[in-house]
Amino acid sequence: MHILILGGGGFLGQKLAKQLSINKTIVINGIRGDILKIQLLDRYWPEEIVESPLIEYVEGDIINDDIIRPLLESKPDVIFHLAAIVSGEAEKNFELGMEVNLHANIRLLEMIRVLNHKPVFVFASTCAAFGGEVTRTIDDDTAPVPQSSYGTQKVMTELLINDYSRRGFLHGRVLRLPTIVVRPGKANAATSSFVSSIIREPLQVQRANCPVSDDVHVWILSPRGVTYNFIHAASLTNETVGHKRIINLPGNAVQIKEIVMALDEISGTQASQYIDWKPDAFIQSIVLTWPPFFKTEWANQLGFKKDDSIHEIIRFFVEDDLKKP
């Protein structure tokens, strides 16, 4: 089996590549096979990359068709599409967000259609597909009404993947991700980045800022959980998924104050003393439009998983990614 990960230099791409290289086999559309090659595309790589004889690193940008076309012509059995301009950057730079999060995806889908290889296509979308009244509960039939350019670009790509799948050009599985916590490394331009920062930095005796009040709820999932769900999505057969290819992943609705309490309990110290509470109007204007309450019956039925608790999510970070002094 040949696997292609777009956005393979990001922390999720690296975790997915590592898990696949450990597994050495994968189920794609119900068929199990040995993994022969894992190609990762990105325009940059972290200082420490996953090393495996199965992995091939390709430097390039998803907007560059001359880079993308040869990767598709090598006929990957499954494409994990994780590449994107993140929420805050897409809001500040409309043209860049549209080019990377929509126009490049249209060209990508067209190249797949013309090649007629029909790979399984797992797309990382977002719960920012929803907006409006944040106290409501989102279910599988709730219509997306995004309140950010990032969410809008993702939803437009979702619909295209669904139609290209309906037409038989590829086999799409669209996963609407919760906020992924805890992200290792440095904070990025995602407006939800602070949720990881208020855990990651205090555990390393560094200061972090929380730009929202402690009664705000967020819908979250761990890197371990989302990695499992990516691989599981590829395994599902077309018959199992049917026409409901756009899937709200399960997660946990957690208040910021609950995160802070769990942080102190797991650290055994007052780690939360390193959190500053300075409001940020730009971040609030986006994050506070994301409904944090979901009923994910379809995802549960399909076998997708969530974490047991915020305590488990923090423990996963300590075990997997916390840099020891």
Side-chain angles (χ1 to χ4, degrees):
M1 297 290 194
H2 174 189
I3 298 166
L4 173 61
I5 304 176
L6 304 177
F11 88 98
L12 287 182
Q14 288 286 287
K15 286 187 176 294
L16 178 57
K18 180 178 181 180
Q19 189 60 55
L20 290 168
S21 66
I22 291 171
N23 293 352
K24 293 186 172 58
T25 65
I26 187 172
V27 179
I28 300 176
N29 206 0
I31 300 173
R32 180 177 293 279
D34 293 333
I35 297 173
L36 303 178
K37 183 194 298 187
I38 306 171
Q39 287 184 303
L40 279 68
L41 172 76
D42 216 316
R43 55 195 174 92
Y44 68 92
W45 305 107
E47 293 181 3
E48 297 179 9
I49 59 173
V50 178
E51 299 283 359
S52 168
L54 296 175
I55 293 177
E56 174 188 338
Y57 287 93
V58 180
E59 185 173 348
D61 201 309
I62 192 174
I63 67 174
N64 188 333
D65 294 355
D66 292 335
I67 296 290
I68 294 294
R69 187 174 289 105
L71 295 174
L72 299 179
E73 289 174 345
S74 66
K75 298 183 178 180
D77 298 288
V78 59
I79 300 171
F80 293 99
H81 185 357
L82 317 182
I85 292 297
V86 295
S87 52
E89 193 171 356
E91 194 69 15
K92 291 178 179 178
N93 190 334
F94 181 77
E95 291 83 3
L96 180 62
M98 288 292 288
E99 176 59 20
V100 176
N101 294 344
L102 181 60
H103 296 150
N105 289 337
I106 293 172
R107 297 195 302 272
L108 171 66
L109 293 171
E110 270 298 283
M111 282 187 273
I112 292 172
R113 181 184 70 83
V114 171
L115 287 169
N116 196 34
H117 178 56
K118 303 179 181 179
V120 169
F121 191 90
V122 181
F123 179 65
S125 191
T126 174
C127 62
F130 303 101
E133 179 51 61
V134 296
T135 60
R136 65 178 175 157
T137 298
I138 304 298
D139 62 26
D140 296 320
D141 296 319
T142 303
V145 186
Q147 299 298 307
S148 66
S149 294
Y150 173 73
T152 300
Q153 293 150 8
K154 286 286 192 176
V155 168
M156 288 190 285
T157 302
E158 290 180 356
L159 295 175
L160 286 171
I161 293 169
N162 189 67
D163 196 48
Y164 275 58
S165 299
R166 181 186 66 84
R167 298 294 298 263
F169 304 144
L170 49 77
H171 308 298
R173 291 92 171 88
V174 173
L175 307 184
R176 287 179 176 149
L177 274 57
T179 295
I180 306 303
V181 178
V182 179
R183 303 175 68 97
K186 298 179 180 179
N188 64 11
T191 50
S192 59
S193 181
F194 74 90
V195 187
S196 289
S197 294
I198 64 172
I199 300 170
R200 182 183 59 236
E201 271 71 77
L203 285 175
Q204 298 175 94
V205 197
Q206 299 172 6
R207 302 213 69 82
N209 184 57
C210 185
V212 301
S213 62
D214 68 357
D215 61 347
V216 168
H217 283 84
V218 287
W219 182 245
I220 61 175
L221 179 67
S222 71
R224 278 196 199 182
V226 75
T227 299
Y228 170 87
N229 287 330
F230 281 140
I231 297 172
H232 180 67
S235 75
L236 298 173
T237 65
N238 294 333
E239 292 75 20
T240 300
V241 175
H243 68 280
K244 297 171 68 175
R245 305 177 187 91
I246 302 174
I247 302 160
N248 299 327
L249 284 189
N252 286 288
V254 181
Q255 275 188 310
I256 297 298
K257 66 178 67 175
E258 295 175 301
I259 295 175
V260 172
M261 290 174 60
L263 172 66
D264 285 343
E265 290 170 8
I266 289 174
S267 69
T269 65
Q270 285 294 112
S272 61
Q273 69 182 299
Y274 293 99
I275 301 175
D276 300 318
W277 299 85
K278 299 176 182 177
D280 186 306
F282 173 73
I283 292 176
Q284 291 177 4
S285 70
I286 299 176
V287 172
L288 298 184
T289 68
W290 296 348
F293 306 110
F294 286 75
K295 288 183 179 178
T296 57
E297 295 178 4
W298 180 230
N300 298 341
Q301 184 178 331
L302 291 174
F304 291 97
K305 295 182 179 180
K306 67 173 184 175
D307 309 291
D308 289 340
S309 66
I310 179 58
H311 290 76
E312 182 175 63
I313 290 174
I314 296 175
R315 290 191 188 100
F316 285 163
F317 171 69
V318 171
E319 295 170 8
D320 297 344
D321 294 301
L322 182 62
K323 300 295 184 183
K324 305 298 190 297

Short mmCIF file of all heavy atoms in Angstrom, two decimals, residues 28-31 118-121 165 168 170-173 233-245 298 302:
data_model
loop_
_atom_site.label_atom_id
_atom_site.label_comp_id
_atom_site.label_asym_id
_atom_site.label_seq_id
_atom_site.Cartn_x
_atom_site.Cartn_y
_atom_site.Cartn_z
N ILE A 28 -7.40 -0.23 3.86
CA ILE A 28 -7.89 0.85 3.01
C ILE A 28 -9.15 0.38 2.30
O ILE A 28 -9.11 -0.61 1.56
CB ILE A 28 -6.84 1.30 1.98
CG1 ILE A 28 -5.56 1.79 2.70
CG2 ILE A 28 -7.39 2.40 1.08
CD1 ILE A 28 -4.43 2.15 1.76
N ASN A 29 -10.27 1.04 2.58
CA ASN A 29 -11.55 0.68 1.97
C ASN A 29 -11.86 -0.79 2.18
O ASN A 29 -12.35 -1.49 1.31
CB ASN A 29 -11.54 1.01 0.48
CG ASN A 29 -12.93 1.27 -0.07
OD1 ASN A 29 -13.92 1.21 0.65
ND2 ASN A 29 -13.01 1.56 -1.35
N GLY A 30 -11.54 -1.27 3.41
CA GLY A 30 -11.86 -2.65 3.79
C GLY A 30 -10.83 -3.68 3.40
O GLY A 30 -10.99 -4.86 3.74
N ILE A 31 -9.74 -3.29 2.73
CA ILE A 31 -8.72 -4.24 2.27
C ILE A 31 -7.41 -3.98 3.01
O ILE A 31 -6.89 -2.87 2.99
CB ILE A 31 -8.49 -4.11 0.75
CG1 ILE A 31 -9.80 -4.39 0.00
CG2 ILE A 31 -7.38 -5.04 0.29
CD1 ILE A 31 -9.72 -4.11 -1.48
N LYS A 118 -8.71 6.91 -8.45
CA LYS A 118 -9.75 6.71 -7.43
C LYS A 118 -9.19 6.29 -6.07
O LYS A 118 -9.55 5.25 -5.52
CB LYS A 118 -10.78 5.69 -7.91
CG LYS A 118 -11.44 6.07 -9.23
CD LYS A 118 -12.44 5.03 -9.69
CE LYS A 118 -13.05 5.44 -11.03
NZ LYS A 118 -14.02 4.44 -11.54
N PRO A 119 -8.33 7.11 -5.48
CA PRO A 119 -7.80 6.78 -4.15
C PRO A 119 -8.83 7.05 -3.06
O PRO A 119 -9.79 7.80 -3.26
CB PRO A 119 -6.63 7.75 -4.02
CG PRO A 119 -7.07 8.95 -4.80
CD PRO A 119 -7.82 8.39 -5.98
N VAL A 120 -8.61 6.46 -1.89
CA VAL A 120 -9.31 6.89 -0.69
C VAL A 120 -8.71 8.25 -0.30
O VAL A 120 -7.49 8.43 -0.33
CB VAL A 120 -9.17 5.87 0.45
CG1 VAL A 120 -9.66 6.45 1.77
CG2 VAL A 120 -9.95 4.60 0.11
N PHE A 121 -9.57 9.20 0.05
CA PHE A 121 -9.14 10.58 0.29
C PHE A 121 -9.69 11.03 1.64
O PHE A 121 -10.89 11.27 1.78
CB PHE A 121 -9.68 11.47 -0.84
CG PHE A 121 -9.12 12.87 -0.88
CD1 PHE A 121 -7.98 13.15 -1.62
CD2 PHE A 121 -9.75 13.90 -0.22
CE1 PHE A 121 -7.47 14.45 -1.69
CE2 PHE A 121 -9.25 15.19 -0.27
CZ PHE A 121 -8.11 15.47 -1.00
N SER A 165 -16.79 12.29 -4.77
CA SER A 165 -17.00 10.91 -4.32
C SER A 165 -18.29 10.35 -4.91
O SER A 165 -18.33 9.19 -5.36
CB SER A 165 -17.07 10.87 -2.79
OG SER A 165 -15.86 11.31 -2.20
N GLY A 168 -17.78 9.17 -8.23
CA GLY A 168 -16.86 8.04 -8.38
C GLY A 168 -15.45 8.41 -8.76
O GLY A 168 -14.66 7.56 -9.18
N LEU A 170 -13.16 9.63 -6.62
CA LEU A 170 -12.34 9.25 -5.48
C LEU A 170 -13.27 8.72 -4.40
O LEU A 170 -14.50 8.71 -4.57
CB LEU A 170 -11.50 10.43 -4.98
CG LEU A 170 -12.19 11.79 -4.72
CD1 LEU A 170 -12.98 11.81 -3.43
CD2 LEU A 170 -11.17 12.91 -4.71
N HIS A 171 -12.69 8.28 -3.27
CA HIS A 171 -13.49 7.74 -2.17
C HIS A 171 -13.25 8.62 -0.94
O HIS A 171 -12.28 8.41 -0.20
CB HIS A 171 -13.12 6.28 -1.89
CG HIS A 171 -13.15 5.42 -3.12
ND1 HIS A 171 -14.30 5.21 -3.85
CD2 HIS A 171 -12.16 4.72 -3.74
CE1 HIS A 171 -14.02 4.40 -4.87
NE2 HIS A 171 -12.74 4.10 -4.83
N GLY A 172 -14.07 9.63 -0.76
CA GLY A 172 -13.83 10.64 0.26
C GLY A 172 -14.35 10.28 1.63
O GLY A 172 -15.42 9.66 1.77
N ARG A 173 -13.59 10.69 2.63
CA ARG A 173 -14.01 10.67 4.03
C ARG A 173 -13.58 12.00 4.63
O ARG A 173 -12.39 12.27 4.77
CB ARG A 173 -13.37 9.53 4.82
CG ARG A 173 -13.84 8.11 4.43
CD ARG A 173 -12.94 7.49 3.38
NE ARG A 173 -13.20 6.09 3.13
CZ ARG A 173 -14.08 5.63 2.25
NH1 ARG A 173 -14.79 6.47 1.52
NH2 ARG A 173 -14.25 4.33 2.06
N ALA A 233 -10.61 6.09 9.50
CA ALA A 233 -11.40 6.62 8.38
C ALA A 233 -11.01 5.95 7.07
O ALA A 233 -11.86 5.63 6.24
CB ALA A 233 -11.23 8.13 8.28
N ALA A 234 -9.71 5.75 6.87
CA ALA A 234 -9.24 5.10 5.64
C ALA A 234 -9.73 3.67 5.52
O ALA A 234 -9.92 3.15 4.42
CB ALA A 234 -7.71 5.15 5.58
N SER A 235 -9.94 3.01 6.66
CA SER A 235 -10.32 1.59 6.65
C SER A 235 -11.78 1.37 6.27
O SER A 235 -12.15 0.28 5.82
CB SER A 235 -10.07 0.98 8.03
OG SER A 235 -11.07 1.38 8.98
N LEU A 236 -12.62 2.37 6.44
CA LEU A 236 -14.06 2.20 6.23
C LEU A 236 -14.37 1.94 4.76
O LEU A 236 -13.80 2.57 3.87
CB LEU A 236 -14.81 3.44 6.70
CG LEU A 236 -14.70 3.77 8.19
CD1 LEU A 236 -15.36 5.11 8.49
CD2 LEU A 236 -15.34 2.66 9.04
N THR A 237 -15.30 1.03 4.51
CA THR A 237 -15.69 0.75 3.14
C THR A 237 -16.68 1.80 2.64
O THR A 237 -17.37 2.46 3.42
CB THR A 237 -16.34 -0.63 3.03
OG1 THR A 237 -17.57 -0.63 3.78
CG2 THR A 237 -15.43 -1.72 3.55
N ASN A 238 -16.76 1.93 1.32
CA ASN A 238 -17.73 2.85 0.74
C ASN A 238 -19.15 2.49 1.14
O ASN A 238 -19.99 3.36 1.36
CB ASN A 238 -17.61 2.83 -0.79
CG ASN A 238 -16.28 3.39 -1.27
OD1 ASN A 238 -15.67 4.23 -0.60
ND2 ASN A 238 -15.82 2.93 -2.41
N GLU A 239 -19.42 1.18 1.24
CA GLU A 239 -20.76 0.73 1.61
C GLU A 239 -21.10 1.16 3.03
O GLU A 239 -22.24 1.53 3.32
CB GLU A 239 -20.86 -0.78 1.46
CG GLU A 239 -20.78 -1.31 0.03
CD GLU A 239 -19.37 -1.26 -0.54
OE1 GLU A 239 -18.40 -1.18 0.26
OE2 GLU A 239 -19.24 -1.28 -1.78
N THR A 240 -20.12 1.10 3.92
CA THR A 240 -20.34 1.49 5.31
C THR A 240 -20.60 2.99 5.43
O THR A 240 -21.51 3.43 6.13
CB THR A 240 -19.14 1.11 6.18
OG1 THR A 240 -18.95 -0.30 6.12
CG2 THR A 240 -19.35 1.52 7.63
N VAL A 241 -19.78 3.78 4.74
CA VAL A 241 -19.91 5.24 4.82
C VAL A 241 -21.16 5.72 4.09
O VAL A 241 -21.85 6.64 4.55
CB VAL A 241 -18.65 5.91 4.23
CG1 VAL A 241 -18.81 7.42 4.20
CG2 VAL A 241 -17.42 5.53 5.04
N GLY A 242 -21.47 5.11 2.95
CA GLY A 242 -22.63 5.53 2.17
C GLY A 242 -22.48 6.95 1.69
O GLY A 242 -21.39 7.39 1.30
N HIS A 243 -23.58 7.70 1.72
CA HIS A 243 -23.53 9.09 1.25
C HIS A 243 -23.22 10.07 2.38
O HIS A 243 -23.09 11.27 2.13
CB HIS A 243 -24.87 9.48 0.61
CG HIS A 243 -26.00 9.55 1.58
ND1 HIS A 243 -26.68 8.43 2.02
CD2 HIS A 243 -26.57 10.60 2.21
CE1 HIS A 243 -27.61 8.80 2.88
NE2 HIS A 243 -27.56 10.11 3.01
N LYS A 244 -23.05 9.56 3.61
CA LYS A 244 -22.77 10.44 4.76
C LYS A 244 -21.27 10.49 4.98
O LYS A 244 -20.74 9.98 5.96
CB LYS A 244 -23.52 9.94 6.00
CG LYS A 244 -25.03 9.97 5.83
CD LYS A 244 -25.75 9.28 6.97
CE LYS A 244 -25.61 10.04 8.27
NZ LYS A 244 -26.42 9.43 9.36
N ARG A 245 -20.58 11.13 4.05
CA ARG A 245 -19.11 11.13 4.04
C ARG A 245 -18.52 12.23 4.91
O ARG A 245 -17.31 12.23 5.16
CB ARG A 245 -18.61 11.28 2.61
CG ARG A 245 -19.16 10.24 1.64
CD ARG A 245 -18.69 10.50 0.21
NE ARG A 245 -19.34 9.60 -0.74
CZ ARG A 245 -20.46 9.87 -1.39
NH1 ARG A 245 -21.06 11.06 -1.19
NH2 ARG A 245 -21.00 9.01 -2.22
N TRP A 298 -23.32 9.44 14.37
CA TRP A 298 -22.84 8.77 13.17
C TRP A 298 -21.39 8.34 13.34
O TRP A 298 -21.02 7.20 13.01
CB TRP A 298 -23.01 9.67 11.96
CG TRP A 298 -22.55 9.11 10.65
CD1 TRP A 298 -21.74 9.70 9.74
CD2 TRP A 298 -22.90 7.83 10.07
NE1 TRP A 298 -21.53 8.90 8.64
CE2 TRP A 298 -22.24 7.74 8.82
CE3 TRP A 298 -23.69 6.76 10.49
CZ2 TRP A 298 -22.35 6.62 7.99
CZ3 TRP A 298 -23.80 5.65 9.67
CH2 TRP A 298 -23.13 5.58 8.43
N LEU A 302 -19.83 4.51 13.44
CA LEU A 302 -18.77 4.09 12.52
C LEU A 302 -17.51 3.61 13.24
O LEU A 302 -16.61 3.07 12.60
CB LEU A 302 -18.40 5.24 11.58
CG LEU A 302 -19.44 5.65 10.54
CD1 LEU A 302 -18.99 6.89 9.79
CD2 LEU A 302 -19.74 4.51 9.57
#
